[in-house]
Amino acid sequence: MIEQLKAAALTGGAILKEGVYAPKNVEHKGAIDLLTQYDQAAEKAIVAALSKSLPAWDLIAEEGSGSDRQSDRRIYIDPIDGTTNFVHGHPFCCVSIGAWEADRPVAGIIYAPILGELYHATRGGGAFCNDQPIRVSTAERLEESLLATGFPYGVFEDSTLTRQVNDWLFRALRASRGVRRCGAAALDLAHLARGVYGGFWEMGLKSWDVAAGILLIQEAGGVVSTLTGEPFDVQSGATILASNARLHEPLRELLAR
Ligand code: IPD
Ligand code: CA
């Protein structure tokens, strides 16, 4: 199925490429949660492609154009992860498509067309960027690693959330080589799988943000869990903690303190 996912991601990605530096109609799903005609067009194109090529799978898509069925075979689609970046002409945005059978990821694609990075992974088959195998970083200490995180849209309105985000950031900044906030969670996970980051955390991500990235990380030798070290449920919205495996416990302890 990876070829079908790849074909759909390339179709969606072409729409991102066309729109990233063009004028856009910007709507608000929340105070700072944006939507453009390109999110909708990319999702429509991806859903049309997958409905045809993988008809037995349920499609769960961010902008709501997926199927209503909810079987154990699901494909989670984010047509543009990093919509705020996309709106502002920042090149860090991507298509993310992840297939899960019950609670196991089986195949995933993350395509960042402006960066020219196409990631794919299949369960047991490894993780790749532009068809080259990728591995997580070999860093053994937080002090020798770069970390990444993201901020939920709720920080704009909810000061408790903002304090928590700040608190984690403060601790991580004082324990690592630095913390990046690049604005596209799927791409952050792909970059962790490629060895750029030693660890990543973010609260409140949706299934379509993480469905593909989780498999990329697992196949590249990394680990994904909740902040308390429990298995991560892709639909839960729980805070995600991902790492190169060696840094998992140190990072978990640092954030939980
Ligand atoms: C967002 C991005 C961002 C993260 C947000 C997500 P969207 O997804 O992944 O990096 O911090 O929490 O919602 O809205 O651009 O698809
Ligand atoms: Ca999105």
Side-chain angles (χ1 to χ4, degrees):
M1 75 178 310
I2 196 70
E3 290 309 321
Q4 287 89 331
L5 299 188
K6 211 180 266 184
L10 289 172
T11 306
I15 295 172
L16 271 65
K17 223 171 172 174
E18 183 192 312
V20 67
Y21 301 124
K24 303 163 187 75
N25 306 323
V26 179
E27 286 172 41
H28 285 253
K29 296 195 283 183
I32 56 167
D33 187 359
L34 309 177
L35 174 71
T36 70
Q37 75 270 38
Y38 293 98
D39 296 76
Q40 289 166 319
E43 181 167 305
K44 212 172 145 201
I46 294 166
V47 166
L50 293 177
S51 311
K52 209 164 160 196
S53 60
L54 295 169
W57 289 73
D58 294 349
L59 307 180
I60 321 283
E62 176 171 14
E63 313 308 343
S65 57
S67 55
D68 293 332
R69 289 175 300 153
Q70 289 271 313
S71 75
D72 266 0
R73 301 177 94 197
R74 298 180 185 178
I75 298 177
Y76 298 99
I77 301 162
D78 193 338
I80 306 185
D81 186 50
T83 296
T84 308
N85 284 347
F86 180 79
V87 165
H88 291 271
H90 189 303
F92 285 25
C93 52
C94 61
V95 175
S96 175
I97 308 180
W100 285 58
E101 273 184 316
D103 54 1
R104 273 162 41 111
V106 293
I109 297 277
I110 292 174
Y111 178 38
I114 328 301
L115 302 181
E117 296 175 3
L118 175 62
Y119 295 86
H120 79 270
T122 53
R123 173 158 293 274
F128 302 82
C129 176
N130 295 338
D131 291 326
Q132 298 302 309
I134 53 173
R135 293 299 292 172
V136 292
S137 93
T138 54
E140 294 191 4
R141 296 181 315 137
L142 289 171
E143 305 91 278
E144 61 190 29
S145 73
L146 189 60
L147 302 176
T149 188
F151 310 143
Y153 293 125
V155 293
F156 188 74
E157 291 154 318
D158 180 343
S159 56
T160 311
L161 275 189
T162 320
R163 274 194 207 97
Q164 179 63 79
V165 163
N166 260 325
D167 187 34
W168 283 336
L169 197 53
F170 181 89
R171 287 184 236 172
L173 284 170
R174 294 171 60 86
S176 67
R177 283 189 184 162
V179 181
R180 299 291 178 263
R181 193 297 188 232
C182 291
L187 202 47
D188 293 336
L189 298 175
H191 285 161
L192 194 153
R194 189 156 65 82
V196 177
Y197 305 126
F200 170 83
W201 72 95
E202 183 168 347
M203 60 165 78
L205 287 171
K206 300 289 201 306
S207 53
W208 43 77
D209 297 319
V210 298
I214 289 174
L215 184 61
L216 274 169
I217 290 173
Q218 292 173 343
E219 288 295 322
V223 170
V224 178
S225 77
T226 65
L227 207 53
T228 51
E230 305 296 320
F232 186 79
D233 171 354
V234 69
Q235 299 207 92
S236 65
T239 297
I240 191 169
L241 179 69
S243 77
N244 67 350
R246 295 169 203 223
L247 295 176
H248 211 73
E249 202 42 34
L251 184 57
R252 200 191 64 70
E253 272 176 22
L254 180 82
L255 299 176
R257 214 179 274 160

